[in-house]
Structure formats: structure tokens, C-alpha cells
Amino acid sequence: MNDTIAAISTPFGEGAIALLRLSGSRAAEIAGVIFLGRRPVADLSPRVQHYGAVFDGGRKLDDVLLTVFRAPHSYTGEDVVEIACHGGVLVTRRILEALLQNGARSAEPGEFTQRAYLHHKMDLTQAEAVMDLISAQTDLALRAASEQLEGRLGERIRALRESLIELLAHVEAYIDFPDEDIDPATGEALLAKLDAARAEIETLLATADRGKVLREGVRTVIYGAPNVGKSSLLNLLLGHERAIVSARPGTTRDVIEETINLRGLPIRLIDTAGVRESEDEIEREGMKRTQQELARADLALHIFDASQPPAAVANGAAALTVLNKTDLGEHPGWGAVEAVRISCLQGQGIEALAEAIVARVAGGVATHRDWSLAINARHADCLRRARTFAEASRGALTSGLSPEFVAEELRATLDAVGEVVGKADSEEILGKIFSTFCIGK
């Protein structure tokens, strides 16, 4: 925290503009060594871009725009300097090297955002939302991340903590005055408050599946016998030719994966090798990978040729039967089978298939209102532990146990809830969270 850190904050590669960032008490001093403008960096007006050039010793590296942000009015809460230069790989690297040679330290992944958290510029849910915002693949995921970055989840967690603190204060009052038993009326009031807190925990936990979908996408495996149109369906959903399509069976030997935006949901489409008996070693390996993908799938699209007699149909919430080649006519045996009927050749039934996928994944149309709050795996782990402690607290209260037992479980509940926003953080938790960030963020 005493070091001044530096990093390239734009993605690696060539571009029109690149951005380098410095943060720490010596940010202006270090930038001032390499920057030459109309005034020294220490005297520049904050939050205004200033034109100048950067030098490595006596050698000019580039013309740049430099912006100063004074603590605490910056992203990290420290003094921050940002340098916008031309976006070549070599020039940005040379500028970074000049900053490091003059006293800055190379930033660790996520260290800028970690400092923002440690300087109370955001809570942990907001810090995690920064990465969600960067990796969002759909408008729905983007808006959910934006609302979390604005503090919506944090507000819910803080309100939950306040209710638990109030509840714990009532219980500890009886501990301080042991001669006063908890009378029935007061006990009922405490139970009502505890049940309200438990209900809020359950409401938040119910959004965990949404969070997994928005952050990781829905692993959707397209499988079936050879030559039923699996690769054709992949290409049609993608809107371009991604997989080779041939009348010859067994064309697809390996797994092909692409992501599409379907009604705001990221759907990870996985085209697989056709399943059949084969003596071909490579084709058998492809079918082995098909089975591995099916075992990991969130949703499986089981594709059949509608013009052929029915085969065994997969059942279950994670499987969706799709009859392709309806343009060739449908075999009578399919009449009673619940399925989505499409024709990849004619492009028919694709909207119905999209609606069926969304229905399976989201229980209907996914709207921003319903998906704007979506906790991640870490939040869910904290809240599950909080639920366990809250239930134990309720059991102690209804069993007439000493208030000390009730208070102990309530404190554990409060600590678990607090971990969501960072009220009970540890170096291990912070390291795990920020290690997933990219360098420069």
C-alpha cells in the first residue's frame, strides 16, 4: 500500500490509443520525471487532460495526454496519474519501463481495484462487479453488472446486516441483565425479525443460478446421430459458417464451441461428434468427448432427423428434443413426441427453438427486472453459511436455550453476511477475489 504502482490498463496489442495508470503517493512525482508539458505534473489541474511528451532520459518516446486525479477523488482513493499514448505494443511497453525505472512498481492483477476497496471507494460486491462488467457478453449481463457496481447488492446486504445487528443487540441486552427472562411477546417479535432476515437470505440465494448463467453462460451441447443437422443448427444460430457441413456422416470429429446472445442470455453452444458405432479411432475419440460434454452440460439439444423413424429420446429438465429436416416430411412415429420442430435448410422454427431454450434456462423470458440482481459463487457460499447459522439461532431461541447460545449463532450469521461486502475480510479472501482480475484494473 506504500508503493506507487503502474500498469498498462488497456488490452495487449495494437490500437489507436493505450492507457497507462499510476497510483500511489508518488504518482505525480514519478510521472513528472518522464513527462514534459507546459507545467510540472505536480502543478497540473486535476481531472483535465494535459498535452505533452514523455521521455526516457533524453529520448522522446511519444506525444501523450496526461490526467491527474488527486486523492481521495480518484478510482483508487490515492493520487492517480493516467497517460494516454499511441497504442503500439512497443511504445506502451517503453513508457511503462520508464515509469518502473523511476520508482514505480509493476501492479499485481486487480491491485488498482483492491486499493479502491481498501480505501473504502467501494465494497467487495462492487469490486467484483468491475470484473463482471469487463467480461459481460450480453446486455442483460452488462446491466446486471452495472447495477451491482452502483451498489444495489451492497445496499441489500447492508440492510440485512442492520436488521441482524438490531436483533443481536436485543438478545445481548438480556445477557447483560440475566435476571430478565425473554418474555413470550418479546420472543415472538425476535422470531419474526429473525424469520424476515432468513427470508431475505433465501431471496438472495435464489439468484445464484442467474448469476452463474450471466457470468459463465449456459453450456448447451448439440448432440445426436451423425448427419441429423447438428453443425447446420450451430451455423444457423451463430449466423455464419463456423462448422463444416457435409452429407457425409462423421464430419465433426472434435468439439466446437461458440457463444451467442439469446434474449440477453449468453448461450455457449457446443457442437459435438455424432454418436454411432464406428471403427474409426478418431471418430470414437470424438464421441468420447461428446459424452464428456454431455456430463458437463447445463442444457442438451438432442437433434433428430424428423423424416426418419423415432429413436430413443432423452428426458429430463436438462434435455430438449429437436426435430430437424421437417422440410422432408415428418415420420408418423414422431406425432406424440413433445419436441421443437425446425428445418435448418429453410430456416424454419428457429424462433420457437430460441423461446424453448430461454424457457428451460430462465423459466420464460429473461427480463432485466428479474435478472438485475444475481449473486456469484462466493456470495452464495457466504449466504449459505449465514442461513445455517440463522437456522441454528432460531432453534436455540425456540428451544428456550440461554440467550448466550442465541447470540453466538447470531454473531456467526452476521459475520457470514458481512463477508459478502467485506466486513469480515481476510488476506486469503482478498487474494482469491482480485487474482482473477486483469493487470491494470
Side-chain angles (χ1 to χ4, degrees):
M1 288 291 291
N2 294 324
D3 294 340
T4 294
I5 57 175
I8 301 169
S9 290
T10 42
F12 179 80
E14 295 182 356
I17 297 173
L19 185 74
L20 295 97
R21 176 183 283 168
L22 278 162
S23 181
S25 59
R26 297 185 60 209
E29 174 193 340
I30 293 170
V33 176
I34 70 168
F35 178 80
L36 180 61
R38 296 180 63 182
R39 290 185 293 165
V41 173
D43 298 333
L44 295 178
S45 301
R47 298 186 296 281
V48 176
Q49 288 189 317
H50 302 272
Y51 174 76
V54 289
F55 292 82
D56 182 8
R59 179 172 58 121
K60 180 178 176 180
L61 296 177
D62 197 11
D63 294 311
V64 303
L65 291 173
L66 183 143
T67 310
V68 177
F69 301 88
R70 309 287 184 196
H73 306 295
S74 69
Y75 178 75
T76 63
E78 303 173 323
D79 285 347
V80 170
V81 174
E82 293 183 349
I83 301 173
C85 65
H86 291 96
V89 174
L90 187 58
V91 66
T92 53
R93 185 182 300 164
R94 290 287 181 266
I95 296 173
L96 177 61
E97 288 172 354
L99 294 171
L100 298 179
Q101 288 168 3
N102 285 283
R105 170 174 64 78
S106 184
E108 298 292 332
E111 191 170 1
F112 289 98
T113 304
Q114 184 172 358
R115 290 189 175 200
Y117 162 72
L118 293 172
H119 286 107
H120 308 293
K121 302 294 288 186
M122 58 179 68
D123 63 33
L124 275 189
T125 65
Q126 292 171 296
E128 290 165 311
V130 172
M131 202 61 206
D132 289 342
L133 196 72
I134 293 170
S135 59
Q137 301 178 68
T138 68
D139 287 341
L140 200 59
L142 180 63
R143 293 182 67 180
S146 295
E147 292 208 0
Q148 184 168 315
L149 185 57
E150 291 171 1
R152 181 177 178 186
L153 176 58
E155 289 174 1
R156 294 279 292 269
I157 293 296
R158 280 187 286 275
L160 177 58
R161 289 190 75 251
E162 287 299 320
S163 66
L164 288 169
I165 290 171
E166 182 181 344
L167 186 58
L168 180 59
H170 279 87
V171 174
E172 289 185 335
Y174 286 98
I175 296 174
D176 293 336
F177 301 97
D179 294 334
E180 298 289 336
D181 293 328
I182 300 178
D183 61 74
T186 302
E188 289 298 322
L190 293 178
L191 276 177
K193 289 181 180 180
L194 181 55
D195 287 341
R198 292 170 62 232
E200 176 67 353
I201 292 172
E202 292 292 350
T203 299
L204 293 172
L205 279 171
T207 70
D209 288 341
R210 302 177 198 167
K212 183 175 184 295
V213 167
L214 293 179
R215 294 178 179 92
E216 302 176 20
V218 182
R219 292 187 62 85
T220 305
V221 174
I222 305 172
Y223 81 108
N227 213 26
V228 294
K230 300 184 298 298
S231 296
S232 295
L233 178 58
L234 174 71
N235 291 339
L236 193 60
L237 290 170
L238 288 176
H240 64 268
E241 297 294 319
R242 174 64 177 84
I244 298 173
V245 175
S246 171
R248 178 184 173 183
T251 304
T252 302
R253 301 294 186 92
D254 206 348
V255 172
I256 298 174
E257 181 174 338
E258 294 284 347
T259 300
I260 63 170
N261 181 345
L262 196 63
R263 308 288 196 275
L265 302 176
I267 305 296
R268 296 168 59 187
L269 295 172
I270 302 167
D271 186 21
T272 59
V275 179
R276 65 171 180 172
E277 294 294 329
S278 175
E279 298 299 322
D280 188 295
E281 183 178 353
I282 297 177
E283 190 174 358
R284 287 204 308 271
E285 177 61 27
M287 287 185 282
K288 178 182 176 182
R289 295 186 182 187
T290 297
Q291 296 302 323
Q292 291 172 344
E293 290 296 335
L294 284 171
R296 299 164 56 198
D298 299 311
L299 177 66
L301 303 181
H302 198 170
I303 315 298
F304 294 92
D305 183 340
S307 66
Q308 299 300 312
V313 176
N315 296 314
L320 187 62
T321 302
V322 181
L323 299 182
N324 186 29
K325 303 188 180 183
T326 54
D327 53 288
L328 300 178
E330 184 176 318
H331 189 281
W334 290 110
V337 176
E338 182 180 350
V340 179
R341 289 159 170 80
I342 66 171
S343 169
C344 290
L345 181 64
Q346 297 181 348
Q348 296 177 346
I350 302 304
E351 283 299 312
L353 177 59
E355 292 174 4
I357 292 173
V358 172
R360 287 294 178 94
V361 173
V365 178
T367 65
H368 168 65
R369 181 186 63 186
D370 296 330
W371 286 63
S372 59
L373 190 66
I375 65 173
N376 64 26
R378 187 188 70 84
H379 306 155
D381 175 66
C382 295
L383 291 171
R384 289 190 191 101
R385 286 188 283 113
R387 177 176 60 188
T388 300
F389 292 130
E391 289 171 351
S393 179
R394 192 183 197 284
L397 190 59
T398 55
S399 300
L401 295 179
S402 170
E404 284 83 358
F405 291 100
V406 180
E408 184 69 21
E409 300 296 348
L410 280 176
R411 289 190 197 98
T413 307
L414 187 60
D415 287 344
V417 170
E419 284 185 34
V420 176
V421 291
K423 294 297 183 182
D425 56 65
S426 68
E427 289 298 324
E428 183 179 0
I429 293 173
L430 295 182
K432 184 176 181 180
I433 291 171
F434 292 105
S435 65
T436 63
F437 279 57
C438 52
I439 293 176
K441 195 56 188 167

